[in-house]
């Protein structure tokens, strides 16, 4: 069983930056594929970024490429999402997710989810 706890959300002005953190429990964190998804009320949850466990290969949605950076610290069992040049359309609840294998960008195969953290970008 893996538990995920997100932190770092908040209110920021357009153009600003935030860093989200996701702390994971469990001994095999380094082997998990970790990802961030986001959801706006009334819309489907969407993929934001993912990072593989073995090679730390990163994957990004086109909408955040060049602005967001996903990284992991296996010693701290934590994954981060550094968000820069934020736009009002980035406003959403951001969720951390983990799984042991599979395609990193495929949402429905993620087994473990955090409770979410709100990010609000004002214009």
């Amino acid at each position: 069983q893996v538990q995920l706890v997100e932190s770092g959300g908040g209110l920021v002005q357009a153009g600003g930056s935030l860093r989200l953190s996701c702390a994971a429990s469990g001994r095999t964190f380094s082997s998990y594929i970790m990802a961030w998804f986001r959801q706006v009320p009334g819309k489907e949850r969407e993929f934001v970024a993912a990072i593989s466990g073995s090679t730390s290969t990163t994957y990004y949605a086109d909408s955040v490429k060049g602005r967001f950076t996903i990284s992991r610290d296996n010693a701290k069992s934590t994954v981060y999402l550094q968000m820069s040049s934020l736009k009002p359309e980035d406003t959403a609840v951001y969720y951390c997710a983990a799984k042991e294998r599979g395609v990193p960008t495929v949402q429905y195969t993620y087994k473990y989810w955090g409770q979410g953290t709100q990010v609000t970008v004002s214009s």
Side-chain angles (χ1 to χ4, degrees):
Q1 187 75 10
V2 175
Q3 291 186 325
L4 304 174
V5 179
E6 301 102 332
S7 61
L11 173 65
V12 64
Q13 288 189 332
S17 299
L18 275 179
R19 188 177 81 157
L20 305 183
S21 300
C22 173
S25 65
R27 299 183 213 174
T28 57
F29 172 82
S30 61
S31 66
Y32 279 87
I33 300 168
M34 302 296 298
W36 290 94
F37 292 83
R38 66 186 182 187
Q39 188 170 25
V40 175
K43 293 189 176 181
E44 292 188 357
R45 189 159 52 189
E46 64 175 7
F47 169 77
V48 175
I51 185 167
S52 68
S54 54
T55 60
S56 291
T57 302
T58 57
Y59 307 81
Y60 296 96
D62 288 342
S63 59
V64 307
K65 204 171 291 184
R67 300 188 298 121
F68 291 11
T69 301
I70 188 170
S71 62
R72 65 192 300 157
D73 185 337
N74 290 334
K76 296 183 179 180
S77 297
T78 300
V79 63
Y80 304 98
L81 185 68
Q82 178 67 49
M83 306 185 293
S84 303
S85 301
L86 283 161
K87 305 174 182 180
E89 51 264 45
D90 294 317
T91 295
V93 177
Y94 284 71
Y95 296 90
C96 176
K99 63 181 177 182
E100 294 171 298
R101 62 186 64 83
V103 177
T105 57
V106 175
Q107 179 180 166
Y108 74 89
T109 57
Y110 277 87
K111 186 175 181 180
Y112 305 105
W113 291 86
Q115 81 287 351
T117 185
Q118 176 71 46
V119 171
T120 303
V121 184
S122 63
S123 56

